[in-house]
Amino acid sequence: MTDTPRRTALDALHRELGATMTDFAGWDMPLRYGSERDEHVAVRTRAGLFDLSHMGEITVTGPQAAALLDYALVGNIGSVTTGRARYTMICREDGGILDDLIVYRLAETEYMVVANASNAQTVLDALTERAAGFDAQVRDDRDAYALLAVQGPASPGILKSLTDADLDGLKYYAGLPGTVAGVPALIARTGYTGEDGFELFVAPGDAEKLWKALTEAGADAGLVPCGLSCRDTLRLEAGMPLYGHELTTATTPFDAGLGRVVKFEKEGDFVGRAALRAAAERAEAQPPRKLVGLIAEGRRVPRAGFAVVAGGEVVGEVTSGAPSPTLGKPIAIAYVDAAHAEPGTAGVAVDIRGSHEPYEVVALPFYKRQR
């Protein structure tokens, strides 16, 4: 093991483009190429190109692959049809979230589980342990893929110019094998920005060719390279949770307002079922805290860990905060006491270095694209 960050197949290209690099989950990743605000606006209005090769791909195969995933994860994975994907979570026995995931069904007995970079090894270890007794194999495929994402309203047009795959027929949370700019790829209509867009899983050796082809094809449409900084503000505006912030082992899906991903109706037991049932009942009776949006009345930006206050008392905690380029104001996601969680609740503020800055409580998401 080494403390040196891993580098993606596009590392040299990022440096040629002048990217500011940062260590993220053990990977050297582009934080921004120029102005993170400009990158954010490009994705909202035109298109942005991301390197997401730090994500963790895990393949599950075998006659009982579906049964294993139904046991190991909280979702009903066996009901996912070939070519579709599902957002789900993997939890501990006590209901705490180990990670949130996207699972793609690639074939009748083959699935790809995509984990967050920071949790990929944890998810791999948990799936391997939970596979005991199932006729299924869990394979670490993190080195088998590079992952590029093109996101934004212009992304379908850009991608169509490089592939004959049926993008018009590709639904949200679906994927199909195809060729993009001569590169074999799994083309998925998924993303983490709140915009329409695609994630392209390719062999690492093909990543640079594909990046350059997308850059050239998107030049007239205003496509720009984008780093992790604007990815964070984009997902924040879209109300999408980030592991380590809104989601942790100390929270259940019900705490995060994502109880819909837990499928109690599926057949058989699954890890955390009893604890999650109890969490669901607590949430229905009287949730201790709810996840809400906060919009600043002033200009000061809240950060994760800042206290949410009302009447001089601490009533919650910010999990994510940043300036919102789309709203033109600072925004935050926070867990707050249920009594202060209704949109429009008066008297709520964030303690920013001793100053109680007023904030408006709103429902998530802050931004929803026009379809």
Side-chain angles (χ1 to χ4, degrees):
M1 296 293 290
T2 174
D3 291 334
T4 305
R6 297 179 67 183
R7 296 187 173 188
T8 77
L10 293 165
D11 183 79
L13 192 148
H14 296 317
R15 294 172 195 277
E16 285 175 22
L17 292 171
T20 299
M21 306 296 288
T22 187
D23 183 348
F24 181 81
W27 289 82
D28 214 12
M29 297 295 296
L31 186 64
R32 68 180 70 84
Y33 298 85
S35 159
E36 57 199 53
R37 185 186 186 282
D38 289 349
E39 292 172 21
H40 180 113
V41 172
V43 175
R44 285 279 180 257
T45 60
R46 303 184 306 277
L49 180 59
F50 297 81
D51 178 11
L52 305 179
S53 302
H54 60 314
M55 300 295 282
E57 295 87 6
I58 301 162
T59 302
V60 180
T61 58
Q64 291 189 301
L68 163 59
L69 290 171
D70 275 341
Y71 169 71
L73 311 180
V74 302
N76 190 348
I77 308 304
S79 68
V80 178
T81 56
T82 300
R84 297 307 302 267
R86 183 157 296 167
Y87 175 78
T88 187
M89 294 183 186
I90 182 168
C91 290
R92 303 191 306 190
E93 195 66 63
D94 66 1
I97 301 168
L98 287 173
D99 201 14
D100 61 336
L101 314 163
I102 295 180
V103 179
Y104 297 87
R105 189 169 196 164
L106 304 180
E108 182 63 26
T109 59
E110 182 180 2
Y111 296 81
M112 181 169 68
V113 177
V114 181
N116 286 297
S118 57
N119 295 327
Q121 188 64 47
T122 298
V123 174
L124 176 66
D125 291 346
L127 287 175
T128 301
E129 180 182 336
R130 295 174 189 186
F134 289 92
D135 187 3
Q137 295 74 47
V138 177
R139 185 174 73 235
D140 182 0
D141 271 348
R142 284 176 286 180
D143 292 335
Y145 292 101
L147 176 57
L148 280 65
V150 56
Q151 298 278 301
S155 58
I158 293 168
L159 202 56
K160 280 180 186 177
S161 71
L162 297 173
T163 183
D164 58 4
D166 180 18
L167 298 186
D168 289 335
L170 187 64
K171 297 177 180 178
Y172 187 50
Y173 266 70
L176 81 169
T179 302
V180 183
V183 170
L186 171 65
I187 306 168
R189 199 163 206 155
T190 46
Y192 193 53
T193 63
E195 297 297 335
D196 191 11
F198 303 87
E199 295 183 321
L200 308 171
F201 296 85
V202 300
D206 290 330
E208 189 167 327
K209 176 184 177 182
L210 182 56
W211 179 283
K212 289 179 176 177
L214 287 163
T215 299
E216 185 177 338
D220 290 343
L223 176 140
V224 301
C226 294
L228 293 181
S229 186
C230 83
R231 180 170 149 92
D232 189 50
T233 54
L234 288 160
R235 72 91 194 168
L236 180 56
E237 287 184 349
M240 295 178 171
L242 175 63
Y243 196 89
H245 289 252
E246 288 72 44
L247 310 176
T248 69
T249 53
T251 58
T252 73
F254 295 94
D255 296 326
L258 292 168
R260 63 182 181 277
V261 306
V262 182
K263 303 302 182 184
F264 292 116
E265 68 274 17
K266 64 180 175 176
E267 289 184 17
D269 195 16
F270 63 89
V271 177
R273 179 191 274 273
L276 289 167
R277 174 64 76 185
E281 291 170 356
R282 286 196 304 272
E284 192 171 340
Q286 182 58 51
R289 285 186 169 178
K290 290 185 177 181
L291 202 60
V292 302
L294 299 173
I295 300 177
E297 294 182 16
R299 309 304 303 173
R300 299 188 70 184
V301 179
R303 298 299 181 191
F306 285 13
V308 180
V309 296
E313 300 291 328
V314 174
V315 298
E317 183 176 313
V318 171
T319 53
S320 297
S324 166
T326 304
L327 276 64
K329 298 178 179 180
I331 59 173
I333 297 177
Y335 280 106
V336 302
D337 293 349
H340 300 277
E342 284 301 311
T345 300
V348 173
V350 175
D351 186 339
I352 302 180
R353 297 179 180 86
S355 175
H356 291 187
E357 302 290 330
Y359 271 74
E360 178 188 0
V361 179
V362 299
L364 293 170
F366 300 99
Y367 166 86
K368 200 166 188 176
R369 72 180 174 93
Q370 301 296 312
R371 295 180 185 270

